[in-house]
């Protein structure tokens, strides 16, 4: 992901939010249909795909993860809601850009968007979209952390999706790629109310897990390549990682990191979709008898 891509995504989100308050209103869905008023600070509760080719992206995710896409507004074909097994999980937003410039934007739940936004700025972050209300979605802001990874801060009026047992083709959390693991942990710990723990995933990799109430919320790791900017990468749970890797390659995706037995027992991989957006996959643990 280039810094130009980051700017384009932020501009696209700003335009979406602006349209939500004008005569050509774009009505986006809430982050959950449960409406339980359950707020889980620090949880990544929503993911938006900003893509330069909506048709290619939709066909890819439909074939790989069996996701469904529905036009969010009858009069606007550039915004679609994403469903998995009938559950609402994200939005796809079309935008201009060079091939390969697509990216997912991750949303962190916060109790008070304005307070979190100001706290992020005081801690060395950069404000790019100040707090603004988006109908149904809630109060949103976007900041770049000190290493320039974009993250959205969200307080949802209906609450957050409840914690559930992981299921195939649904989100499995998010991972921050950064140039400064310790600095990133210091920045995000108060922002999300996290506790942190360094864990062993590979001899050459420093990996930190962020928790709230003993529930893992995200991972923090050094960027795996020199030519990639800091960013949050969403993960999808899968039943069979090797079969999913084959589906990804057969449908135009590119495997960036293949499953390796010395990394989480070969149960994780990373890929870029045909439009350039990066996603991780993690195989579910086998069911115990």
């Amino acid at each position: 992901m280039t810094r130009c891509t980051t700017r384009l995504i932020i501009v696209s989100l700003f335009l979406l939010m602006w349209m939500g308050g004008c005569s050509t209103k774009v009505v986006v869905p809430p982050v959950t249909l449960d409406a339980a008023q359950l707020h889980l600070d620090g949880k990544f509760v929503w993911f938006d795909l900003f893509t330069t080719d909506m048709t290619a992206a939709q066909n890819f995710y439909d074939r790989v993860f069996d996701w469904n896409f529905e036009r969010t507004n009858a009069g606007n074909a550039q915004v679609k809601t994403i469903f998995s097994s009938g559950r609402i999980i994200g939005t796809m937003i079309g935008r201009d850009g060079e091939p390969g410039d697509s990216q997912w934007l991750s949303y962190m739940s916060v109790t008070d968007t304005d307070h979190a936004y100001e706290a992020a700025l005081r801690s060395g972050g950069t404000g790019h979209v100040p707090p603004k209300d988006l109908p149904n979605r809630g109060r949103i802001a976007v900041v770049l952390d000190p290493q320039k990874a974009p993250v959205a801060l969200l307080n949802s009026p209906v609450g957050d999706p409840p914690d559930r047992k992981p299921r195939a083709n649904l989100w499995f959390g998010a991972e921050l790629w950064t140039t400064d693991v310790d600095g990133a942990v210091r920045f995000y710990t108060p922002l999300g109310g996290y506790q942190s723990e360094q864990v062993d995933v590979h001899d050459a990799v420093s990996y930190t897990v962020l928790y709230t109430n003993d529930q893992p919320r995200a991972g923090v790791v050094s960027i795996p390549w020199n030519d990639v900017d800091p960013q949050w990468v969403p993960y999808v749970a899968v039943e069979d990682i090797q079969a999913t890797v084959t589906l990804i390659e057969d449908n135009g995706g590119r495997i960036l990191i293949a499953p390796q037995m010395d990394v989480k027992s070969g149960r994780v991989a990373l890929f870029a979709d045909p439009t350039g957006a990066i996603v991780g996959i993690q195989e579910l643990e086998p069911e115990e008898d």
Side-chain angles (χ1 to χ4, degrees):
M1 181 194 73
T2 65
R3 287 184 175 84
C4 178
T5 302
T6 300
R7 290 197 297 270
L8 287 170
I9 288 169
I10 291 169
V11 169
S12 299
L13 179 63
F14 184 82
L15 289 174
L16 178 68
M17 294 168 68
W18 175 79
M19 290 176 68
C22 73
S23 58
T24 56
K25 182 176 291 187
V26 174
V27 180
V28 296
V31 299
T32 179
L33 300 180
D34 291 338
Q37 292 296 328
L38 176 69
H39 289 278
L40 300 170
D41 285 9
K43 180 177 181 177
F44 284 85
V45 295
W46 191 260
F47 300 90
D48 279 337
L49 172 60
F50 293 87
T51 180
T52 56
D53 189 332
M54 294 185 71
T55 299
Q58 178 171 332
N59 289 339
F60 174 81
Y61 288 105
D62 176 21
R63 293 166 183 165
V64 174
F65 297 131
D66 197 26
W67 288 355
N68 304 116
F69 295 76
E70 295 182 5
R71 187 178 293 189
T72 304
N73 302 98
N76 191 326
Q78 293 300 105
V79 182
K80 290 189 175 183
T81 303
I82 309 171
F83 295 84
S84 179
S85 301
R87 189 177 300 172
I88 189 169
I89 63 167
T91 308
M92 178 173 66
I93 302 162
R95 65 169 181 81
D96 296 331
E98 297 296 323
D101 274 353
S102 303
Q103 187 198 353
W104 288 91
L105 178 66
S106 303
Y107 287 69
M108 177 196 295
S109 175
V110 295
T111 298
D112 185 323
T113 303
D114 295 73
H115 176 78
Y117 180 80
E118 294 299 329
L121 301 192
R122 290 194 300 270
S123 298
T126 304
H128 272 261
V129 178
K132 184 175 177 63
D133 293 319
L134 184 60
N136 289 337
R137 183 64 50 79
R139 193 155 180 81
I140 298 173
V142 178
V143 298
L144 299 186
D145 70 21
Q147 288 72 46
K148 307 306 180 185
V151 63
L153 308 172
L154 170 66
N155 178 260
S156 165
V158 299
D160 298 326
D163 290 329
R164 295 186 174 97
K165 183 178 179 180
R167 288 175 49 190
N169 300 333
L170 293 174
W171 298 119
F172 200 69
E175 184 175 84
L176 175 64
W177 293 1
T178 181
T179 55
D180 182 357
V181 171
D182 292 340
V185 171
R186 287 194 299 271
F187 176 80
Y188 285 101
T189 292
L191 197 62
Y194 295 123
Q195 302 86 44
S196 62
E197 179 184 6
Q198 190 166 337
V199 298
D200 293 328
V201 296
H202 189 279
D203 291 342
V205 176
S206 173
Y207 198 93
T208 300
V209 178
L210 303 178
Y211 296 85
T212 59
N213 299 319
D214 296 323
Q215 180 73 34
R217 296 301 184 195
V220 183
V221 66
S222 295
I223 294 175
W225 302 285
N226 293 329
D227 59 347
V228 177
D229 279 355
Q231 60 185 286
W232 280 96
V233 176
Y235 269 70
V236 178
V238 299
E239 290 183 342
D240 185 328
I241 197 160
Q242 294 295 344
T244 305
V245 165
T246 299
L247 277 174
I248 290 166
E249 294 179 320
D250 288 349
N251 287 283
R254 182 164 52 96
I255 299 300
L256 304 176
I257 297 180
Q260 303 172 44
M261 288 307 298
D262 58 348
V263 180
K264 295 187 178 180
S265 302
R267 293 174 43 246
V268 297
L270 288 156
F271 69 88
D273 73 22
T275 74
I278 298 176
V279 181
I281 51 176
Q282 181 159 340
E283 187 176 88
L284 294 170
E285 295 277 4
E287 293 281 351
E288 294 184 2
D289 296 331

